[in-house]
Amino acid sequence: MGLSPASACDTPCPARQQTIALVDDDRNILTTLSISLHAEGFATRVYADGETALKALQENPPDLAIFDVKMPRMDGLELLKALRAQSRLPVIFLTSKDEEPDEALGLAMGADDYITKPFSLRLLVARIRAILRRSELAKAPPEEVPGAELPEPVVRGRLSLDPARHQVTWDGKPVSLTVTEFLILEAMALRPGVVKSRNQLMDAAYSDDVYVDDRTIDSHIKRLRRKFRAVDPEFGAIDTLYGAGYSFADG
């Protein structure tokens, strides 16, 4: 059934309000984040434990979710693992300074980023917007992006990247990457053999107003290697030049 004249937008339709799911057993954090995100124009849903959140996230996915790591009934890592079995929902972890192993594990399991408590709300909002922007671009069919010029696929030896469709293959086998992982790999593959510093990779994968430290880039590189080695145990195309950065070996 078509839209009636009254329901169609004669002028540009207002942007859809994006929804953030907040999962944390600390109700003070849930309240503070919910109020702050509402002020930034987001809708929020809040859950006090992972078990309750999982069912809701599966039945009615938001645009992005923020998980605390330590929670009763089902912690953030268990929640992410269960979610990743069927969803690529963008996820940011909230961690404490003494939870570095959990940060690394969360990134390895497919979290898009992490923020350490106590955190800046301005920084969190900037990261949310950056991840949502990349996620929307990755999901949207290129022909639906007004005035878009479709980027050409990048082929480097056995690697093929299609930025327009956010698809990656190695030897013809698909490799599933997050938006951040894709942008880091693309930055290296566009100039094979050229060492990219961590700062350059940060610039490629994060917006200008988002600060990330070296551990985040290193964690993303480890995840990239792990994912490619899952389809090719001999994969070694990402080189490390200690003290300088990383490069992609063409061939």
Side-chain angles (χ1 to χ4, degrees):
M1 182 181 295
L3 290 173
S4 68
S7 60
C9 293
D10 295 325
T11 58
C13 295
R16 179 182 65 85
Q17 187 177 37
Q18 293 173 305
T19 300
I20 311 297
L22 308 172
V23 189
D24 199 311
D25 62 326
D26 187 329
R27 294 199 175 272
N28 289 330
I29 288 180
L30 288 178
T31 300
T32 299
L33 285 179
S34 186
I35 292 172
S36 299
L37 292 176
H38 283 164
E40 294 291 335
F42 296 105
T44 62
R45 303 178 201 147
V46 300
Y47 308 96
D49 67 84
E51 194 172 282
T52 303
L54 177 60
K55 188 172 185 294
L57 295 177
Q58 291 172 330
E59 293 178 350
N60 187 17
D63 295 284
L64 181 144
I66 300 174
F67 298 166
D68 186 28
V69 172
K70 304 297 184 185
M71 293 185 292
R73 299 177 65 186
M74 176 184 282
D75 67 24
L77 296 172
E78 293 172 320
L79 175 57
L80 179 63
K81 182 178 180 180
L83 193 63
R84 279 291 175 262
Q86 57 180 285
S87 171
R88 294 306 310 163
L89 173 71
V91 171
I92 296 175
F93 265 127
L94 297 181
T95 70
S96 298
K97 289 186 177 179
D98 60 352
E99 293 171 354
E100 182 176 346
D102 290 334
E103 293 168 4
L105 181 56
L107 291 173
M109 291 168 58
D112 292 271
D113 217 328
Y114 70 88
I115 291 238
T116 302
K117 301 176 185 176
F119 54 85
S120 158
L121 287 170
R122 179 177 173 275
L123 173 59
L124 177 60
V125 169
R127 290 195 183 183
I128 287 171
R129 293 194 188 284
I131 292 172
L132 285 173
R133 184 165 56 249
R134 295 170 198 149
S135 179
E136 290 300 317
L137 287 173
K139 290 187 297 184
E143 60 272 16
E144 292 184 8
V145 181
E149 293 185 9
L150 303 188
E152 293 293 327
V154 178
V155 178
R156 297 289 184 263
R158 290 179 284 172
L159 175 71
S160 176
L161 299 96
D162 186 343
R165 295 169 178 79
H166 191 73
Q167 294 175 345
V168 180
T169 62
W170 180 261
D171 272 342
K173 300 173 184 175
V175 182
S176 178
L177 302 182
T178 66
V179 177
T180 302
E181 292 165 351
F182 186 97
L183 292 172
I184 290 173
L185 179 63
E186 182 183 35
M188 294 186 291
L190 285 173
R191 300 193 65 191
V194 175
V195 176
K196 292 281 188 178
S197 69
R198 289 177 178 84
N199 284 337
Q200 289 173 317
L201 294 177
M202 290 175 196
D203 289 343
Y206 291 87
S207 59
D208 292 340
D209 55 355
V210 175
Y211 169 78
V212 295
D213 60 26
D214 289 356
R215 288 185 306 168
T216 302
I217 296 299
D218 292 343
S219 294
H220 286 311
I221 293 293
K222 289 177 183 176
R223 289 166 58 200
L224 280 167
R225 287 173 170 151
R226 187 178 296 113
K227 289 184 175 183
F228 277 93
R229 285 171 184 161
V231 300
D232 177 7
E234 302 301 317
F235 176 82
I238 298 177
D239 293 331
T240 302
L241 183 60
Y242 290 98
Y246 300 96
S247 67
F248 181 84
D250 191 5

